[in-house]
Amino acid sequence: MKKGDILEGIVERVDFPNKGIVAVEGGDCKVVVKNTIPGQRLRIQVNKARKGRAEARVLEILSPSPIETRVPCAHFGVCGGCVYQSVSYEEQLAIKKKQLKGMLDSVIDYEYAFEGVKASPVCDGYRNKMEYSFGDEVKDGPMSLGMHKRGSFHDVITVDGCKIADEDYGAVLKCVLAFATSSGLSFFHKMSHEGYFRHLLVRKAVKTREILIDIVTTTQADLDYSELVRDLRALKLSGTIVGILHTKNDRLGDVVANEGTEILYGQDYFYEELLGLRFKITPFSFFQTNSLGAEVLYSTAREYIGDTAGKTVFDLYSGTGTIAQIVAPVAKKVVGVEIVGEAVEAAKLNAGLNHLDNCTFIAGDVLKVIDDIPEKPDLIILDPPRDGIHPKALDKIIDYGVPYLVYISCKPTSLVRDLQVFHERGYRVVKGCGVDMFPGTGHVECIVELARK
């Protein structure tokens, strides 16, 4: 097998998060093909070939998988967002359950309780935040606004019919794109670093139905936004627009960054509610993108955490303090540590909103500030970023010697890596499960409870 070979085969399984393992006809090695579904018959072309291993891309789906029974959105397969949208939700959960159990079992060689993957309450229209990019679908084509094409750094397709965001997002997207097109200004080109329009950020609360809209541009032009504000406010939406913003970003990287935000209408925040608590959310503060799924996640976390009465709890990588506030009502004290300063300020404000005076939130890197916390924890909750916990920080966390910890992870492969260290230091997994926060995609959140031997 060599680069450029065109082969046919069937997808035997999909490893987390999206790596299809294809059995090739007449071949003696497995080929990795991303963004595929078990049971599909494919024509593929080899991109990389090594001894006993190859990677390829899909040229054609010769026949769909028997489990593809669901009608996906019009952008499915072209947009880089979803992988499993054509598969029934029950089958999606089954795939993720098998993947997660396999990853955990690769490092756990003893008995533990695996509780499967808990479903999201909704699998369509669940996202409370979308970040759209300005660009073009083909080079020098008309301006588009939406998501990157699968496998492309440059091409952007307009996704006004996206199924994982509700209809209000599509209406806002079309309105903003029409305004941007009529302005005569171009989008920001990643190679030349010239152009004006960069991103559109839309956030919508599930419980309060409040909508926040933020147009992100460079400072390479000046534009009057009064017409856009008028047109957006005139839209017939199921939610209510509470703020329209304009953020400036001249950074060269393709990220949504805030280098100054102007309020064009209303306010620069909205409210969402989870498990009876109220949260004030700003454009760039972290909040779980699936509000109803977050209630499942945090209810499960609260169950794993157990009784916190009279205990001092450390919530490390605490974000906007959601978990801290969920366990705070009966705890003695909760200390949250988060590196993003804006998130810490939001956590303090939200604790005040919810009348919780036993929460302390510290801005800083867990590795650097943990030694300066005077309190000693009875219990530790971990919810690190995708790459997991820094090895030196992990050592310090384990050195506390708490009887048990709860680890929440949005990237199971990072969790599995960290579990090996916990095992070496005397902890064992008591139970674990997944929570499907991202229906239609290959991602899954997971939680484990660890106890000292």
Side-chain angles (χ1 to χ4, degrees), residues 260-295:
T261 295
E262 171 192 7
I263 299 176
L264 303 174
Y265 164 77
Q267 60 202 36
D268 60 354
Y269 61 89
F270 69 103
Y271 291 102
E272 179 63 293
E273 297 170 359
L274 290 181
L275 299 175
L277 298 174
R278 190 170 174 85
F279 296 92
K280 181 179 180 181
I281 304 167
T282 55
F284 301 98
S285 61
F286 173 78
F287 197 78
Q288 291 285 355
T289 55
N290 180 345
S291 295
L292 298 178
E295 291 194 319

Side-chain angles (χ1 to χ4, degrees), residues 136-141 155:
D136 52 14
E137 188 168 347
V138 294
K139 188 177 180 181
D140 299 325
D155 301 338

Side-chain angles (χ1 to χ4, degrees), residues 86-346:
S86 61
V87 177
S88 74
Y89 192 47
E90 292 74 16
E91 289 286 358
Q92 292 183 39
L93 293 175
I95 291 170
K96 294 181 181 184
K97 177 182 177 181
K98 184 177 181 180
Q99 289 176 343
L100 181 55
K101 183 68 161 58
M103 285 185 285
L104 292 175
D105 287 352
S106 70
V107 294
I108 301 174
D109 58 0
Y110 49 86
E111 291 294 321
Y112 71 103
F114 180 68
E115 299 179 333
V117 175
K118 298 185 179 183
S120 170
V122 292
C123 58
D124 288 332
Y126 62 84
R127 287 192 66 93
N128 59 36
K129 176 185 178 183
M130 292 294 290
E131 291 181 359
Y132 300 113
S133 297
F134 284 93
D136 52 14
E137 188 168 347
V138 294
K139 188 177 180 181
D140 299 325
M143 188 185 298
S144 53
L145 175 59
M147 308 298 290
H148 285 275
K149 277 187 178 179
R150 178 168 290 169
S152 173
F153 178 68
H154 296 283
D155 301 338
V156 172
I157 60 169
T158 299
V159 290
D160 51 5
C162 175
K163 269 197 170 184
I164 63 175
D166 74 21
E167 293 180 356
D168 283 356
Y169 288 77
V172 170
L173 183 151
K174 286 190 282 189
C175 182
V176 173
L177 178 57
F179 171 80
T181 302
S182 67
S183 74
L185 298 173
S186 72
F187 63 89
F188 179 74
H189 291 74
K190 298 180 181 67
M191 301 303 290
S192 67
H193 302 143
E194 294 180 353
Y196 183 67
F197 292 103
R198 299 198 67 163
H199 297 96
L200 169 65
L201 174 63
V202 186
R203 304 188 76 156
K204 179 181 179 180
V206 172
K207 298 292 182 65
T208 67
R209 313 297 290 171
E210 295 180 345
I211 300 172
L212 195 64
I213 301 167
D214 192 0
I215 298 93
V216 184
T217 73
T218 67
T219 60
Q220 296 179 30
D222 289 318
L223 191 59
D224 181 358
Y225 284 93
S226 56
E227 181 182 337
L228 176 62
V229 170
R230 182 200 66 202
D231 291 345
L232 285 170
R233 294 186 64 197
L235 292 174
K236 302 298 183 183
L237 305 173
S238 64
T240 302
I241 296 174
V242 296
I244 303 172
L245 315 174
H246 173 216
T247 291
K248 298 172 183 177
N249 173 25
D250 284 322
R251 296 185 188 180
L252 300 184
D254 187 25
V255 293
V256 179
N258 179 14
E259 295 184 329
T261 295
E262 171 192 7
I263 299 176
L264 303 174
Y265 164 77
Q267 60 202 36
D268 60 354
Y269 61 89
F270 69 103
Y271 291 102
E272 179 63 293
E273 297 170 359
L274 290 181
L275 299 175
L277 298 174
R278 190 170 174 85
F279 296 92
K280 181 179 180 181
I281 304 167
T282 55
F284 301 98
S285 61
F286 173 78
F287 197 78
Q288 291 285 355
T289 55
N290 180 345
S291 295
L292 298 178
E295 291 194 319
V296 177
L297 176 70
Y298 294 140
S299 294
T300 305
R302 186 163 57 186
E303 172 196 329
Y304 279 29
I305 291 162
D307 182 18
T308 58
K311 294 180 180 178
T312 298
V313 180
F314 279 12
D315 179 13
L316 306 182
Y317 312 95
S318 55
T320 51
T322 311
I323 299 173
Q325 292 171 68
I326 287 171
V327 301
V330 295
K332 177 183 177 182
K333 184 171 185 178
V334 180
V335 179
V337 179
E338 168 58 46
I339 198 169
V340 180
E342 183 182 3
V344 172
E345 292 306 310

